[in-house]
Amino acid sequence: MESLLKDFELEPKNPSVEALRRWRSAVTLVKNRRRRFRMVADLDKRSKAEQIKQGIKEKIRIALYVQKAALQFIDAGNRVEYKLSNEARDAGFGIHPDEIASIVRSHDNKTLNDIGGVEIIARKLSVSVDGGVSEESINSRQQIYGFNRYTEKPSRSFLMFVWDALQDLTLMILMVCAVVSIGIGIATEGWPKGTFDGVGIIFSVFLVVLVTAVSDYKQSLQFRDLDKEKKKIFVYVTRDGKRQKISIYDIVVGDVVHLSTGDQVPADGIFISGYFLLIDESSLSGESEPVNVNEEKPFLLSGTKVQDGQGKMLVATVGMRTEWGKLMETINEGGEDETPLQVKLNGVATIIGKIGLTFAILTFVVLTIRFLVEKALRGEFASWSSDDAMKLLDFFAIAVTIVVVAVPEGLPLAVTLSLAFAMKKLMNDKALVRHLSACETMGSASCICTDKTGTLTTNRMVVNKIWICEKAMQIEGNESADELKTCTSEGVLNILLQAIFQNTSAEVVKDKDGKDTILGTPTESALLEFGCLLGADFDAYAQRREYKILKVEPFNSVRKKMSVVVGLPDGGVRAFCKGASEIILKMCDKIIDCNGEVVDLPEDRANNVSDVINSFASEALRTLCLAFKEINETHGETNIPDSGYTLIALVGIKDPVRPGVKESVQTCIAAGITIRMVTGDNINTASAIAKECGLLTEGGVAIEGPDFCDLSPEQMKDVIPKIQVMARSLPLDKHKLVTNLRSMFGEVVAVTGDGTNDAPALREADIGLAMGIAGTEVAKENADVIIMDDNFTTIVNVVKWGRAVYINIQKFVQFQLTVNVVALVINFFSACITGLLVNRICFPFYVLLNLFQGTSVIVFLLSGSAPLTAVQLLWVNLIMDTLGALALATEPPNDGLLKRPPVARGANFITKPMWRNIIGQSIYQLIILAVLNFDGKRLLGLGGSDAMRVLNTLIFNSFVFCQVFNEINSRDIEKINIFRGMFDSWIFLLIIFVTVAFQVVIVEFLGTFASTVPLNWQLWLLSVLIGAVSMPIAVILKCIPVERDTSKQHHDGYEALPSGPELA
């Protein structure tokens, strides 16, 4: 089968347009194109949207890099005059919405300076740059300046799904047949009796359409909820003098927004203050070079990203007045890329459809030839009647019906159903899947490269130890702080507090309740809290404002340090630096000794400090060094020094391991998944945490990023399989590790990331996992899954659901192919051997094939020879239309999924165990049905006028129960115990119950309409027993060995886990 699916191979991430077009052109025999391809990207629409997007980007680029130069030569007197409305003037505003939008959009510095700069703009917007907007003015601002929302494509209504369901070719033919039936019925049986069958068909078609539309509409609502979650972006603003976190969609003109590294600029605005603010405008202009934003270049555009630094901006334009708003109209136009499973199952459906078409043509040819030969033998070849024409029409109907039942439309749609179900459940479990294919791919993950801080640890940091004046102290509450103050001179304590409070990106702000709150990274917050513990309360923190910040170099994952130069009240200049302990230590040539004096730092003393760093790190503490340097320069342009610092203190910060992480790591190892910690921390700290988590084992390698990058390709082949910890790594080191794992070893790699610089690794990995709490907007935008609680256990849960999606679809395919094989064989041989396809076996097969695979049944009532009425068939079809998929494709994951190895990249989807089960069950069902069909009356001792109807009912009933029990068998492809977890799946139990209940109703109470007769309890018991025998047969089949991969050793060194009957 896999060799026939070459045109249906698709990369799970960023597939090429050629591959997308190739599989579309290979799909044939589609009954309902609108429904089948609803969850498939429209490449033509996408191409047009891309052209529009590029046009907007080019327009923006010209405006930014050409027009602003031309504006210098435009006379201010020629500018457009904007007349402010009375409504705006009465609300206290002094600038027209279009005027301020034009200034920012065109980067018009001249007009901004003519007005008086950002302070005057703020005054015209009736806002304070310190206090922000008042809550009372928000409504009037939205009315006059607009909402920060974009024009979105309207969601599809329920009626549109009804219309899609009506496009099914089989339903169209069925409605034509209903009209013909009504016409013939009235002519032969009169009004109203002759209309019953036709009206019943029409009513049943209406119910089929309704149920299909409801199912599809509910799926669309699930995806709509997921889209809403994806668009949730929050920023910090100052309102009424208090810092608040709000959605970007609640931003109004005049808001003072606080930006930091990794944030998305939520609206067009003007720079107020900040430092080292580097903006990536490539999403708007296409220019890759980032732009420095400062007082000279004060304009920020919505949708751009903060690549580095921090700052405050005044919101000037929102919503559709921004260029980003126009771009947003084209986002997701054409839909999301289809997943590899969807494509593969479209291929399976196509292949089965071609086989069915072959069977149909052969059947039509055989029946027609036999009819003509018989007619010639009777000497009637020259005379033709309407009955002859009706027979040929019946033969054609038979052929069409075989084609219809052989196209399993439900296969690709089952993937969508399963993914929608899994994504909804994962969202409840704190994992937001941004791309459908990631949910599938995560089930095949063989390696997870995870961060340490916040993922394996709690990210609730506290200063646990300090080494100052050549003495180490444990910090445990106020008593420890008092002891530290007692044994430390006032001068040293003062310089320590300055180093903490001056050199920080965190802030102490008032929240809505007026309480002081520290805003900043967990590391920064831990240092500020430590400073406050030493007696420098929040009022003392205000002393920072007496110092003038001259220059700031913010922390990032490349520099691994933060530096600041401040002007002192007495006119002096001092630099402070903090960061990774080894890096800061190398920058120091002096140290504060045990007497509180500044002394030289020779090599032997530096080695002693290194020993202290390593001892702190071996206790799983994150180490930071704090240092300062006096600069003999006046206030002005002062470069941040890279050397000559004096070491003040070494701080050890405790970040406890998350509860349950060790167990989750062991679960991953048991599942054949290698966990590698990739962190920027000290190698000793990382190793200690890794050992605590159970990550670093005997024989495992802990390596530093720079050392890894220095390895040759041959060395990497030897070392990479053993790497369990990579410390002091840069984002490029992580990217290199991921690339080599995928290219050298064929691993399916999942990577976690939270910083802006992690974006390349997140894009390169098979599955990018961004942190929802610590992660920046840049990281989230480049990720496939967002871990909302930053918890490693949630990542394991995503793996479990990914595996569940894959295996659930396999179960459904196995179940469906079994029905297909039986139905096609019976149809063909009934037609070609008995010459009467429309008999007591075939109609049940039509309906049951369709009821389990989600297709509609064509019932031709022209000959009147069908033992089952169209109404009865449609009722059964309605009950079972998507229930097989719903039962098997939505089963929740069980712990057993994580006790088997991951599915290898490029592995066969339809496995040999699946073929074994399909063929075995098909043979059993064919034998039973053939015996009942040809010798049932004699074996059962049936007699009387209704013996044939009783036998027909028994065959139909037995076939239904064979599928019911086979549905249960399909719950596990290889394990014998198929009942495990069944009673936890209420959907599965409900579907089985509904199926059996409706079967009882059809057989016992709908005889008049369904051409069945009530069965006695012995025949009911026989039907159930015939179905139940498929369960011991399944056990026997699962004990038959099938060929498996003979390789036992994984390249990472662990033994391959058992699969097949051993897992029973």
Side-chain angles (χ1 to χ4, degrees), residues 661-680:
V661 161
K662 188 170 184 178
E663 292 77 7
S664 297
V665 168
Q666 293 306 314
T667 300
C668 284
I669 292 172
I673 302 171
T674 308
I675 311 298
R676 293 180 170 89
M677 179 196 291
V678 184
T679 178

Side-chain angles (χ1 to χ4, degrees), residues 783-822:
D784 303 296
V785 181
I786 299 173
I787 308 301
M788 307 299 287
D789 59 357
D790 291 12
N791 196 338
F792 185 79
T793 305
T794 304
I795 298 174
V796 178
N797 203 31
V798 176
V799 172
K800 191 191 291 186
W801 271 103
R803 291 191 176 189
V805 167
Y806 190 88
I807 199 138
N808 284 348
I809 300 302
Q810 283 187 315
K811 295 175 194 175
F812 179 60
V813 169
Q814 174 183 296
F815 173 69
Q816 198 162 77
L817 289 184
T818 303
V819 187
N820 266 67
V821 168
V822 175

Side-chain angles (χ1 to χ4, degrees), residues 12-13 432-450 673 734 738 742 747-753 758-771 782-787 795 798-799 802 905:
K13 203 166 181 177
L432 175 61
V433 180
R434 296 186 72 249
H435 300 131
L436 278 175
S437 59
C439 203
E440 289 176 12
T441 312
M442 198 65 190
S444 300
S446 57
C447 172
I448 298 176
C449 296
T450 177
I673 302 171
K734 183 189 286 188
V738 171
R742 297 183 72 223
E747 295 266 22
V748 178
V749 185
V751 170
T752 67
D758 286 326
L762 291 170
R763 284 196 300 268
E764 174 65 24
D766 294 283
I767 313 104
L769 305 165
M771 299 297 105
N782 286 279
D784 303 296
V785 181
I786 299 173
I787 308 301
I795 298 174
V798 176
V799 172
R905 194 190 296 271

Side-chain angles (χ1 to χ4, degrees), residues 372-597:
L372 294 175
V373 168
E374 288 175 354
K375 197 170 178 62
L377 290 174
R378 291 196 303 266
E380 300 174 356
F381 198 80
S383 61
W384 289 79
S385 65
S386 60
D387 287 342
D388 294 333
M390 289 298 291
K391 280 188 178 181
L392 289 175
L393 185 59
D394 279 344
F395 296 159
F396 177 74
I398 290 165
V400 172
T401 305
I402 291 177
V403 173
V404 169
V405 299
V407 179
E409 294 274 275
L411 282 180
L413 299 174
V415 180
T416 308
L417 179 68
S418 186
L419 287 172
F421 183 79
M423 290 170 71
K424 185 73 174 177
K425 291 291 184 182
L426 280 171
M427 191 167 71
N428 295 335
D429 291 341
K430 304 296 182 185
L432 175 61
V433 180
R434 296 186 72 249
H435 300 131
L436 278 175
S437 59
C439 203
E440 289 176 12
T441 312
M442 198 65 190
S444 300
S446 57
C447 172
I448 298 176
C449 296
T450 177
D451 285 334
K452 174 184 74 68
T453 306
T455 308
L456 299 173
T457 62
T458 60
N459 214 20
R460 291 194 291 270
M461 298 191 187
V462 61
V463 174
N464 182 259
K465 224 172 185 182
I466 187 171
W467 186 82
I468 188 169
C469 297
E470 299 185 306
K471 181 181 179 183
M473 290 189 63
Q474 194 84 20
I475 305 299
E476 295 175 350
N478 291 324
E479 292 181 5
S480 301
D482 292 339
E483 184 183 347
L484 177 62
K485 286 189 286 185
T486 303
C487 63
T488 307
S489 67
E490 186 177 342
V492 174
L493 198 62
N494 184 50
I495 199 73
L496 173 65
L497 291 173
Q498 282 187 43
I500 291 173
F501 287 127
Q502 301 299 328
N503 186 22
T504 182
S505 60
E507 293 183 77
V508 177
V509 299
K510 300 286 185 184
D511 61 16
K512 283 187 176 183
D513 301 324
K515 295 180 180 178
D516 289 321
T517 303
I518 298 175
L519 292 179
T521 65
T523 305
E524 295 278 20
S525 299
L527 284 174
L528 283 190
E529 287 173 1
F530 174 61
C532 297
L533 189 66
L534 294 178
D537 57 21
F538 290 130
D539 293 332
Y541 170 70
Q543 70 170 326
R544 184 184 182 197
R545 308 187 194 287
E546 299 173 10
Y547 296 80
K548 184 178 181 183
I549 303 295
L550 302 178
K551 200 158 192 178
V552 175
E553 189 180 70
F555 179 90
N556 69 25
S557 56
V558 175
R559 286 189 290 267
K560 298 191 185 300
K561 63 186 175 70
M562 178 179 180
S563 306
V564 62
V565 177
V566 297
L568 305 176
D570 61 5
V573 178
R574 184 177 291 156
F576 293 99
C577 187
K578 71 178 179 191
S581 45
E582 309 94 297
I583 294 173
I584 303 301
L585 182 59
K586 288 178 183 176
M587 296 167 61
C588 295
D589 58 11
K590 295 182 179 62
I591 189 173
I592 298 177
D593 68 4
C594 57
N595 299 316
E597 302 294 332

Side-chain angles (χ1 to χ4, degrees), residues 734-976:
K734 183 189 286 188
H735 184 269
K736 192 168 188 176
L737 175 63
V738 171
T739 303
N740 284 310
L741 280 168
R742 297 183 72 223
S743 60
M744 285 185 181
F745 301 100
E747 295 266 22
V748 178
V749 185
V751 170
T752 67
D754 52 17
T756 303
N757 294 321
D758 286 326
L762 291 170
R763 284 196 300 268
E764 174 65 24
D766 294 283
I767 313 104
L769 305 165
M771 299 297 105
I773 299 171
T776 61
E777 289 305 322
V778 173
K780 293 175 187 176
E781 190 177 272
N782 286 279
D784 303 296
V785 181
I786 299 173
I787 308 301
M788 307 299 287
D789 59 357
D790 291 12
N791 196 338
F792 185 79
T793 305
T794 304
I795 298 174
V796 178
N797 203 31
V798 176
V799 172
K800 191 191 291 186
W801 271 103
R803 291 191 176 189
V805 167
Y806 190 88
I807 199 138
N808 284 348
I809 300 302
Q810 283 187 315
K811 295 175 194 175
F812 179 60
V813 169
Q814 174 183 296
F815 173 69
Q816 198 162 77
L817 289 184
T818 303
V819 187
N820 266 67
V821 168
V822 175
L824 283 177
V825 171
I826 284 289
N827 284 348
F828 180 72
F829 282 99
S830 295
C832 297
I833 296 174
T834 68
L836 189 64
L837 182 63
V838 186
N839 64 8
R840 57 178 173 267
I841 296 177
C842 303
F843 263 94
F845 275 95
Y846 293 155
V847 67
L848 288 166
L849 176 65
N850 282 285
L851 68 87
F852 287 111
Q853 71 179 21
T855 60
S856 299
V857 181
I858 297 182
V859 181
F860 286 87
L861 303 175
L862 304 177
S863 65
S865 61
L868 300 175
T869 66
V871 174
Q872 184 269 336
L873 291 174
L874 277 173
W875 267 111
V876 177
N877 185 58
L878 179 63
I879 297 162
M880 306 295 289
D881 187 18
T882 55
L883 294 188
L886 195 60
L888 292 170
T890 61
E891 282 213 279
N894 58 67
D895 292 336
L897 292 174
L898 296 178
K899 293 178 182 176
R900 61 177 72 194
V903 178
R905 194 190 296 271
N908 290 344
F909 178 73
I910 303 179
T911 61
K912 290 180 180 178
M914 289 171 66
W915 282 121
R916 175 196 62 197
N917 298 339
I918 291 165
I919 294 169
Q921 290 290 346
S922 299
I923 290 172
Y924 165 69
Q925 292 183 26
L926 287 169
I927 291 172
I928 289 295
L929 294 172
V931 169
L932 287 175
N933 183 42
F934 294 110
D935 206 23
K937 284 198 285 187
R938 184 187 66 81
L939 290 174
L940 298 173
L942 297 176
S945 59
D946 63 346
M948 186 58 69
R949 293 184 66 192
V950 171
L951 184 60
N952 287 344
T953 305
L954 176 65
I955 292 172
F956 171 69
N957 210 33
S958 299
F959 182 79
V960 169
F961 278 100
C962 278
Q963 305 320 312
V964 168
F965 283 99
N966 196 34
E967 195 167 2
I968 299 171
N969 286 330
S970 297
R971 290 194 67 251
D972 204 295
I973 294 168
E974 295 195 51
K975 292 183 184 177
I976 292 172

